[in-house]
Each structure stands twice: as structure tokens, then as C-alpha cells.
Amino acid sequence: MRRLIAIAAAGFVLLSGTPAHAAAPPAEFGSDWDDPRTAAPPIVAPPGKSCSTTIVDHAFAGYDTYVSAFTPPAACRGPWAKVVLRLDGDVKGRQYDRLGWLTIGGVMVFKTSTPEPSPDGIAWSVEKDVTSYSALLRSPQAVNMYLGNTVDDTYTGVLNVKISLTFYSGRSAQPDDVLPLADQGRDGPDLTGTVRVPPNTSRLLAEVYATGSGGGCEEFWYLTAPTSTGYSCPADPGPYREVQVLLDGRVAGIAAPFPHVYTGGWSNPFLWYVVPAPRAFDIRPISYDLTPYLGTLTDGAAHRVSVRVVGVPAGQSGWDTPINFLGWRDRGVARVTGGLIGYRSGALTNEVTAEAGRVDTHGAHRLTATGYLRTSHGVVTSTVTQRVGNDSTHTWGEGENPDALNATWTDEAISVTGGKVTRLAQRFAIDGAITIDADNRLTTTMRMTDARGPVTDTFTGEASWLLNVPRDQRHATATTSERYRIAGRYDKTIRTVNGTVL
């Protein structure tokens, strides 16, 4: 995996690009390939009136943050049935994958990475439903986008990006408040700050856009190994990571981070040129239901919030964890009062068995909280139970060749508020390996699964290329597929050979 770190790049709907080819695919990659796309369904547009406004139009060729402004469209002032963010990008030449983010009014609304281009150029589009941020979009806001990118004589790809918001007139039940973290800072590796919620808030969710760093070992946190093994990405005690939200010093939410793989990942950009790994272009936030704690948050005071990634070695950076808050108000009272009546944080299990060439990990954690609120319609009890788990086996040979991982993460949450039950069940999995043969040809095999409720997104692929030769002599090949299923409603598969969609 030392080679993975050296070779890898710095890196909800990705729309289709060019049409499928009728002709046979090329024998290997050439100087051009099909535009990136995924098998996910497009966002359904509601009927009726709509209007769009552009908030980003910029060529990213450096490391400055792009600044603009958003003004609600005069022709569609709201309310809105749906709001859709759309990114259209193009790039050509030579470039790594890059990581980027977009804030509106200081609130993180979109996090992304980019595809790697062909010399002749590619174009891609991404859509995201951002209706839940409607309260933020009712008034003018500052817009900031960061997409750090090196452009020089070697890395020539300029990332041309345009982002628009389309507003569809109508009504939908959305949060009353969208709040950023105030007074942000760092307490060691933890992101810290404060939040002040309106006193009549009766439901509160937090969103954390958690990602390992672009480049460096924490981008591949799931492959880290205890120092005693001699592996090139050391981390004690091992690869278990957990993203926690703390309120006034108490752990109030736990979650398993998604094992993002960007388009230069696993030493093999040829694997991801046309079909990216799940979530690569729309990095979705982790959601936490904080309603049981509202009884202590509605006093009008600023309360301390921390975001902590468990398992990161002391003194090591590598995680970005911006947090937002979505709140719903009880319009029938000036203030909701209440308290926490039950709290149990189970012992965190992080069992690691390590030896030269092998690490086995079993991690698990459980958290339950119950609170009550005095609302305009009586006393309401809220209970949230969260369970996370991770099992993985990481093996490698001499010189970390081959290097293989078989890992599964589970993340389950059940919220019961006033008799209404909400369930979230997620399962993430990676089964992959990198091998370099006697002829110095590197091969990556990968199966990656992102399952959440009725939705299952599965990527499968194998790609090979020759190391230590000029780019035009790599003789790269790849066969990939993605199957996206929504139980009983939707089932689509995309297959590619050597950059051509079949």
C-alpha cells in the first residue's frame, strides 16, 4: 500500500454523459474515454413553475476560495416543493482528482471530488436535492466554493465548474431553521464551536460532512495498521474510525464514516475514469437525531458542540468534519422545555489482532438516549438508539505486494418520537486488492457496496496498467460495472470496457 499512497491522487446523481457506443470497445485505453456517469436515477422534477439561478461560474486553477452571492429568484420566491443543485464541469489534459466544498450562508450544502480527465477532455454533471436547506435560501446569502487545484506544465487540467440552483414552486415540509456551527475552532483534533437553537425548537438534526484527507494515510484510514506491523500507514491501535458528535462534552451521536474512494484511489485511476465509486461526486453528510437533548438546548444559551473522529492517532490531522443543524419549531409555544431522562453509552469495542502481514479488526459501539419535551400538544418523549460496527481483514505480502482488504461497516439508527418510528439501516463494504506482477504490471480488483434501506449501489471492477513507463506506454485496461437498485422500483446497470460504455 506504500505504492497506493505514492500513486493515488490528492482525491446525488451523476448524470449520463455521451451515449453508449454500438461499436466494439478499444483493446486498451487511448487518449479519450466516455464522460463519467452513474447508474443512479435522475432527480424527479415536480410539475409546475420553476426557475434557476447560477451561484458558481469559475475556472479552478489554484487554491483560492471562490466567492459570490446568492439572491432568491424574484420569479420563484417560494414556498418550494423542491430545490435542486446542479454542478456542470469539464476538464481536459492531465490532472489529479480534487476535493471541493460549497457553503451558502456559512452552511455546508455540498461536498464533492472530481473525475480525472482524458487528454482530449471530459464533461460531467451532478445533481443533489437540497430542499432541506430551503429556510437558508429564502434570503440573500454569501456563497463560497473551494476546489484546490494545481495547474502547471505537468498538471494542465483546469476545472471549469458551473453550479446552479433550480427552484420548483409548491409546498413541502422542511426544517424551519438551518444553522451553521458558530465560533469554530479546534481543540486538538476535534472540531469545536457553539450552536444556539431557537427556544421553541421541537426537533433537531445534525449533519456532518466527514471525509478523510485528500492524500495521506487518513484518506485510506480503513487500511491503516498498528505500528508493530511495519505497514507504511501506521495507526495505533488500528483502522477503526467512528464519527462522534458531542454536546456540552457528552457524546450525543455516533456513526460509522463512509469509506470514500476518490477517482485516483487504490493506485488505479483507470478503474474510475467513467464509473466512479459510490458517493465519490456527492459526498453525503452523516445525519444525527439530537431531539432527545433538546430539553437542555432551548434555554437561549450557546451550547458547546464538538465533532470527534475516534481512532485517529494523537497529533495526526487528516479529517474534515464540518457540521450543520436542521431545526423544526413548535409554533404553538414561545419555548419548549424538557430534559434528558435516559442515557446509556455502551463500552466501545475496538479489538485488533495484528501480526506481520495481517490485521483483523472488530469494532462496535451502541448509544441510547431518551428525552422529553413539553410542547403545545402535550409532553412528547423521544428515544434514539444508534449501533455501529466494523469487521475487517487486511492482508499484505512482502513489499506490501499484494495488498488486500475485506471490510464491512454497519450503521443503524432508530428514532421514536411521539410514537412515530424512523429507521436507518446502512451497510458499507469493500473487497479489494492491489497486485504488481513480475512484469511490473499493477492490477486493482474492487467490489464496493453502499446499501441504505431499500437502496443498494454496487461497484465491481478490475483495471491494470504498466508502471514506470511514459503515459502513452502504460497499455491500461479496465472492465467495470455499477448496479443501482431501489427495491421494487428501479434497477439499472452500467458496464464499461477500456473507458467505453457498453
Side-chain angles (χ1 to χ4, degrees), residues 93-95 151-157:
R94 183 179 184 184
Q95 195 53 265
V151 176
D152 54 27
D153 291 341
T154 301
Y155 302 106
T156 58

Side-chain angles (χ1 to χ4, degrees), residues 339-359:
L340 190 66
I341 56 177
Y343 177 87
R344 186 175 186 276
S345 178
L348 191 155
T349 299
N350 187 6
E351 300 171 349
V352 178
T353 303
E355 57 187 84
R358 183 180 177 111
V359 174

Side-chain angles (χ1 to χ4, degrees), residues 13-36:
V13 177
L14 180 66
L15 302 178
S16 295
T18 55
H21 290 252
E28 60 184 47
F29 276 89
S31 64
D32 197 17
W33 44 83
D34 282 350
D35 289 338

Side-chain angles (χ1 to χ4, degrees), residues 104 107-109 128-137 173-181 195-198 200-209 245 285-292 294 297 305 323-329:
I104 301 177
V107 173
M108 186 71 65
V109 300
K128 178 180 179 178
D129 187 336
V130 293
T131 315
S132 60
Y133 302 122
S134 292
L136 180 73
L137 302 173
Q174 299 302 327
D176 297 297
D177 299 288
V178 181
L179 307 170
L181 184 69
V195 65
R196 192 189 305 266
V197 303
N200 61 340
T201 302
S202 59
R203 184 187 179 205
L204 185 68
L205 302 182
E207 294 183 329
V208 177
Y209 284 83
V245 173
I286 301 168
S287 183
Y288 303 80
D289 189 345
L290 302 180
T291 305
L294 270 176
L297 299 179
V305 177
I323 183 171
N324 306 323
F325 302 90
L326 307 177
W328 288 256
R329 299 194 197 189

Side-chain angles (χ1 to χ4, degrees), residues 330-475:
D330 182 348
R331 300 293 181 177
V333 293
R335 181 186 173 191
V336 169
T337 61
L340 190 66
I341 56 177
Y343 177 87
R344 186 175 186 276
S345 178
L348 191 155
T349 299
N350 187 6
E351 300 171 349
V352 178
T353 303
E355 57 187 84
R358 183 180 177 111
V359 174
D360 292 284
T361 302
H362 171 67
H365 200 189
R366 179 171 177 147
L367 177 67
T368 301
T370 300
Y372 74 96
L373 295 174
R374 300 183 187 93
T375 72
S376 63
H377 43 278
V379 176
V380 175
T381 301
S382 177
T383 298
V384 175
T385 300
Q386 298 167 284
R387 291 186 294 268
V388 297
N390 170 220
D391 288 284
S392 71
T393 297
H394 179 193
T395 58
W396 62 93
E398 183 179 354
E400 299 177 10
N401 178 32
D403 198 350
L405 176 74
N406 190 321
T408 302
W409 296 264
T410 55
D411 190 326
E412 300 175 354
I414 301 175
S415 299
V416 183
T417 300
K420 180 181 178 180
V421 180
T422 303
R423 300 176 184 271
L424 174 66
Q426 301 184 97
R427 177 182 175 274
F428 319 136
I430 289 179
D431 187 359
I434 299 171
T435 303
I436 301 174
D437 66 17
D439 295 324
N440 216 25
R441 190 167 181 83
L442 182 149
T443 299
T444 305
T445 58
M446 174 65 67
R447 180 177 178 86
M448 190 171 180
T449 302
D450 176 13
R452 54 199 187 281
V455 179
T456 303
D457 188 3
T458 303
F459 173 95
T460 306
E462 180 176 305
S464 300
W465 59 286
L466 193 60
L467 292 169
N468 303 323
V469 297
R471 292 175 67 87
D472 60 357
Q473 298 175 29
R474 290 179 175 175
H475 300 297

Side-chain angles (χ1 to χ4, degrees), residues 37-102:
R37 80 280 309 276
T38 77
I43 295 174
V44 178
K49 183 180 179 181
S50 68
C51 39
S52 299
T53 182
T54 298
I55 58 173
V56 174
D57 190 353
H58 189 62
F60 288 91
Y63 290 84
D64 294 331
T65 299
Y66 172 80
V67 178
S68 68
F70 161 76
T71 300
C76 298
R77 290 194 174 275
W80 305 302
K82 186 171 286 187
V83 184
V84 177
L85 178 151
R86 178 180 173 111
L87 178 151
D88 291 294
D90 65 76
V91 59
K92 67 177 180 179
R94 183 179 184 184
Q95 195 53 265
Y96 286 136
D97 51 340
R98 301 298 184 182
L99 302 179
W101 50 257
L102 174 73

